[in-house]
Every structure is written in structure tokens, then in C-alpha cells.
Amino acid sequence: MNTIEVIICVIFFSFVFLYHRFRNSFSYFERNGIPYIKPLPIFGNVAGWILMRKSLSVIHFELYKKLEPHRFGGVYVGERKMLLIRDIELVKKILIKDFDHFHDRGTKRDLHTDILSRNLLFLKGDEWKTLRIKLTSTFTSSKMKRMFPLVKQYGTKLHSIIEEMTDKDEFFIKDVCSRFSIDVIGSCAFGLEINSLENPDSVFVKMGNRSSNSKFTYKSIIRKVFPFLTKLSKKVIVDTIVQSFFVDKVQEIVECREQHKIVRGDFLDQLIHLKNETNSQKSQDEQAQADSHQFLNQIDGKYCTNAHIEMTPELMAAQTFQFFLANFESTSSTLSFMLLELAQHQHIQDRLRQEIRTVLENNNNQLTYETLQEMRYLDMVVAETLRKYPICGFLARHCTKTYEIPDSNIVLAEGTSIVIPVLGIHHDTKYYEKPYEFYPEHFTEEAQSKRPNYTYLPFGEGPRICIGKRFAEMQIKVGAIILLKDFCYTLSSKMKLPVEFAHGILTIDIKGGIRLRCKKI
């Protein structure tokens, strides 16, 4: 048999293998009487994502609409079967009431090689519960108040950078917001003066770019679409340069602080305290105790008190990396999306600016943690931004033990993947009066009282809710105040409308970036 014949045979038998594998996989929902969207061979229901034409968040949004009026339905990500949830009561059960059946996200990482993945996002079971309890005290309101001056400090530098932009025909707002976010996180997490606002080539900016979602597109596709292929490769998701940087940097800072007894009150200080404290419950303040109590109630008190996690430099690096990456993306994207909408709705921009100025004037022009709480319209604008542009447009869960779906005869087998399409829920006319418009009135007290719970999920909900939610919201609001108090924004002439979401990624971003112009008032 010559070389060409061998190649033809390999290709033929590969196609036969894949055909039978996918045919068997694709019959699952039909066999079990579950409504589903008919998949394409190999691609399943996510061809647009695999072919880099849409983001996965948008794909799930489209599937959410196609499954109307069903409470749930089957979809395929490649050969991987997933149950997409549409019913809000079922969302509540999965995220909270029946959490013991869905306490994992279903992410697969080799925690021995993917050192930075050993954080709350990827850990499972008792290890996750133990670490979650330990970290509860790090994001209380009192800790946010302590970090507030550090956030405000970089707001002053952000103001100077925006002032320089008033002379330009256009600028990319996310670039500026990303550098602001990195400077804040550098100070609040590491105690470092990164100065990326003044130095865009800072090493932390480079690490942020290397760590961004778009860098892992092909790896994400292979991992989700062809999970059996991931077993053939031991390659890490976060590249080794990023891993080495964060582990070395954290170890260097920790050794310096412990040697010289330096205390800054930042996130890393709290990790050092947990490292040296045998019982972290002893030092929890009232807010931390309340948060811990709520968490334990949500997991029915099923906390493994015998579980032990040593706060090693690698584990500390993993927590600071998650803190860095999550806040880097959430703050820069949310501020950018907010200004994109405000540039198109000047009446909303003017009203928000007026509230900011009025509240500050009533407080001797001092921006404090307390004055931040007085800005109700700012709360509404931030919430509406996160509704229309949730950072991740879906939540993933994993069925960890057999589960019978209430009011149905459907039983989910252990190992079934679950997807909650946040972008779809946030744009459903059943819950929001004007879902495709930017309408802050969606978040008046009256509007919220009429809306079912669990229809607003930008940070998730239940025990797996984003632990850094308070910090992210504080950073976003401070950034918004600084950006809007003295400046007015309009769209660049090169900004194309309607906007198009970036292709091929997991989350939500604008293709081509957000181009703005600004002038000082």
C-alpha cells in the first residue's frame, strides 16, 4: 500500500469513527424525551463559535430564543451535550435550592500543571468549600472601605490621562480603562505602584494581555468541543510565562512583608494573615461572619471542617491571579460599555453627571466610600450596563449527582453539563420592559419589585457568586465618577453602529473596539 492509499484510508476511517461517535452522542436528548435544537455534524449547535463567527455567549443567547416556550432544552457543544435552562424557578433551584446537585462548574484543569487555576473559579468539592470560607473575610464592606483610598488615588491619575485625550480626534476607551484597572488591582492586590496609566508598556499590562480570554480561543474550543482530545495533551491553559511571573512576584512580596513586618491592609495582606492564622474565623468581623453564615446556609451547612488547605505561595498566587484577571476584565469592559451607551444617550449622561456633581457638592466635594452609596442613579446606570453587557453571557454548572427536574419526568444523569444563558435572560421581554435599549429605569425600586428574582445575574448567584463583586462594583463606580464629572463623551466618526460583538471568544466584547471623543466641561 503506497503513501497516498494510507492517507486516504486514515481519512476514511477517521470520518467513519467521528460519524458514529457523533451520531450516538446526538441522539441523547431525543432518546430521553428532552426538547432540543437539531445539531450539525461535528459542530453541534455552536458552529458559529467554532468557525470564529460569533462569541459563545451570543450563541447561547440565540439558542435561548430558539427553545421558546420550553422550560429547558438540549444543545450540543461539539459532541458535548448540555442542558440549557430557560425557566427562572429552575435557575433558582440549580444555583441555590438544589445547589448540592450542581456545586461544580464542570471545568477541567490539571491543577498540578495549571498552578494559577487553583482558585475559586476552578476548584471543586471540599477544597473549594474550604477555600471559599477562608476567603469570605477578604471582601467585606469594611475591607472595601479600607481599600477605597487606594482606588480613589488612581482615579486622580485617570482624570489626568482623560484630560490629555481631549486634544485627540478619537481614542480607544477600553485601553485607558484597562490601564486604570491594572493600576488599582496592582495596588489593592499586590501593594505595587504599577503606573500603567503613564506607562502602557508595563509588565503587568503585558501579563493582562497574555492572560485575556481571546488568547485562549483555540484551546477553549478544543476543550469544550472535543473533550476527549484534551486527554492527549498536558499543555496548560495559562501559559508558563504568566504562571512564573505571578508565582515569583507573590513569593517575593510575601517574603519582603514578613521579613520587614510590613502591613498595607490590601488583598495580599489578608492572604498572608490566612497563611499564618490557624483558625481564620477568630478574626472575622461582623460582615464576614454574616457572609459566612449565609454561605453555610446556602450549602445546607455541608462544610468539611476536617478539610485543610495550606496557603502556599502557589495558592496565594492563584488567588491574586484570579483577583487580577477578573477585575481587570470586568472593570475595563463595563466602563467601556457604559461610555459607549452614554455617548449615544446624552440625556442619560447629563443626568448622571448632574447627580455626581450634586452629591459631591453636598459633601464638600469629597469622594468617600459613604458618598459613593448616595449616588442612586449611578447604581442604576451600572446595573443597566451589566444587564445589557454581562461580562460573561452564560453560567456553567455540572450535575454532580442524579437529579430529577421538578414538574417533569426527566432525570439528569451525573456528569450532565448545565448552561444558564445570562445574556438571553437579560434580554427577555418577560423580565425587562425595553430589553434591547439602554434604559436605567429597569432598576428603579418599583421595576425591580415587579421582576422575579434571579433575572439579573452578571456576577452569578448563590454559593458560587463572584466573591469579588463588591470590589468590582466599587472600582467601576469610582472610575465612572472620575470619567464623567468633568468630561463629556461622544462617538468617534469612525465608530460603526450598530455595534458587532467580537467573534470566537467566550465572553462579550466589541469588534474593532470602542472609539470615543471627549471634551472637558
Side-chain angles (χ1 to χ4, degrees), residues 138-150:
T138 60
F139 290 103
T140 62
S141 298
S142 62
K143 298 291 171 53
M144 295 304 98
K145 189 173 181 179
R146 192 178 303 171
M147 291 185 189
F148 183 82
L150 301 176

Side-chain angles (χ1 to χ4, degrees), residues 40-146:
L40 294 174
I42 299 180
F43 296 109
N45 299 114
V46 296
W49 178 54
I50 295 173
L51 298 175
M52 310 287 283
R53 294 174 181 171
K54 295 178 181 178
S55 80
L56 190 57
S57 294
V58 170
I59 294 285
H60 287 321
F61 175 27
E62 293 173 346
L63 294 171
Y64 175 89
K65 292 190 291 185
K66 288 180 180 179
L67 282 166
E68 176 79 32
H70 300 291
R71 295 168 58 211
F72 52 83
V75 299
Y76 294 93
V77 179
E79 71 159 358
R80 184 182 178 193
K81 55 185 180 292
M82 303 183 75
L83 193 73
L84 186 145
I85 308 300
R86 300 189 75 260
D87 179 66
I88 293 303
E89 282 303 310
L90 190 50
V91 168
K92 179 180 180 180
K93 289 182 181 299
I94 289 170
L95 295 182
I96 297 180
K97 288 191 173 181
D98 296 326
F99 176 76
D100 59 317
H101 289 263
F102 304 97
H103 53 74
D104 290 342
R105 297 183 190 272
T107 52
K108 294 182 179 180
R109 296 286 175 94
D110 184 340
L111 300 182
H112 297 290
T113 54
D114 255 324
I115 299 171
L116 297 184
S117 293
R118 198 161 175 248
N119 56 52
L120 290 179
L121 185 63
F122 298 110
L123 288 177
K124 301 177 182 180
D126 288 336
E127 192 174 22
W128 166 74
K129 293 176 188 177
T130 303
L131 185 60
R132 176 64 173 75
I133 283 289
K134 280 181 172 291
L135 295 178
T136 294
S137 63
T138 60
F139 290 103
T140 62
S141 298
S142 62
K143 298 291 171 53
M144 295 304 98
K145 189 173 181 179
R146 192 178 303 171

Side-chain angles (χ1 to χ4, degrees), residues 160-176:
S160 299
I161 296 299
I162 292 296
E163 199 163 20
E164 294 175 7
M165 298 299 171
T166 58
D167 297 327
K168 298 181 179 296
D169 290 334
E170 67 168 12
F171 67 101
F172 289 93
I173 184 61
K174 188 172 181 179
D175 172 63
V176 176

Side-chain angles (χ1 to χ4, degrees), residues 159-364:
H159 188 281
S160 299
I161 296 299
I162 292 296
E163 199 163 20
E164 294 175 7
M165 298 299 171
T166 58
D167 297 327
K168 298 181 179 296
D169 290 334
E170 67 168 12
F171 67 101
F172 289 93
I173 184 61
K174 188 172 181 179
D175 172 63
V176 176
C177 293
S178 294
R179 288 186 279 142
F180 164 68
S181 181
I182 286 176
D183 281 351
V184 169
I185 297 166
S187 181
C188 292
F190 299 93
L192 299 175
E193 293 282 339
I194 295 174
N195 290 324
S196 67
L197 278 167
E198 298 167 359
N199 177 21
D201 295 323
S202 135
V203 64
F204 271 86
V205 174
K206 293 176 181 177
M207 291 301 118
N209 290 333
R210 289 185 73 100
S211 307
S212 67
N213 177 72
S214 59
K215 301 297 179 185
F216 307 129
T217 297
Y218 294 107
K219 292 180 182 179
S220 298
I221 289 174
I222 292 172
R223 195 170 67 252
K224 287 184 176 292
V225 178
F226 308 109
F228 62 93
L229 292 180
T230 60
K231 298 175 183 178
L232 304 177
S233 173
K234 294 295 184 182
K235 290 183 178 179
V236 296
I237 302 301
V238 180
D239 72 38
T240 53
I241 293 177
V242 175
Q243 291 203 40
S244 297
F245 173 79
F246 276 93
V247 172
D248 292 347
K249 182 62 67 175
V250 167
Q251 189 161 7
E252 173 190 330
I253 297 171
V254 170
E255 288 177 355
C256 178
R257 291 190 186 186
E258 290 187 327
Q259 181 180 349
H260 299 285
K261 295 182 171 46
I262 298 172
V263 177
R264 289 190 82 255
D266 54 22
F267 181 65
L268 196 53
D269 258 6
Q270 296 172 62
L271 294 182
I272 294 172
H273 176 75
L274 292 175
K275 169 177 172 285
N276 299 321
E277 178 64 73
T278 55
N279 184 0
S280 63
Q281 298 282 356
K282 292 179 182 178
S283 59
Q284 287 190 355
D285 58 27
E286 290 183 7
Q287 178 71 64
Q289 291 176 8
D291 288 351
S292 295
H293 182 69
Q294 180 186 25
F295 174 74
L296 290 171
N297 282 340
Q298 288 177 332
I299 62 173
D300 295 327
K302 296 172 182 175
Y303 170 61
C304 184
T305 54
N306 294 323
H308 173 71
I309 289 184
E310 182 183 357
M311 194 61 71
T312 63
E314 290 79 13
L315 186 62
M316 296 168 81
Q319 309 324 305
T320 53
F321 175 72
Q322 183 189 10
F323 183 98
F324 171 81
L325 193 58
N327 283 283
F328 165 69
E329 188 62 34
S330 63
T331 300
S332 58
S333 292
T334 303
L335 285 172
S336 302
F337 289 138
M338 181 191 299
L339 290 182
L340 169 67
E341 291 292 344
L342 295 180
Q344 298 173 76
H345 302 92
Q346 289 296 323
H347 65 289
I348 299 177
Q349 184 179 159
D350 292 341
R351 179 179 170 182
L352 178 55
R353 184 181 299 106
Q354 185 58 52
E355 178 190 71
I356 291 169
R357 289 182 167 186
T358 299
V359 171
L360 289 177
E361 287 171 4
N362 292 339
N363 289 275
N364 299 316

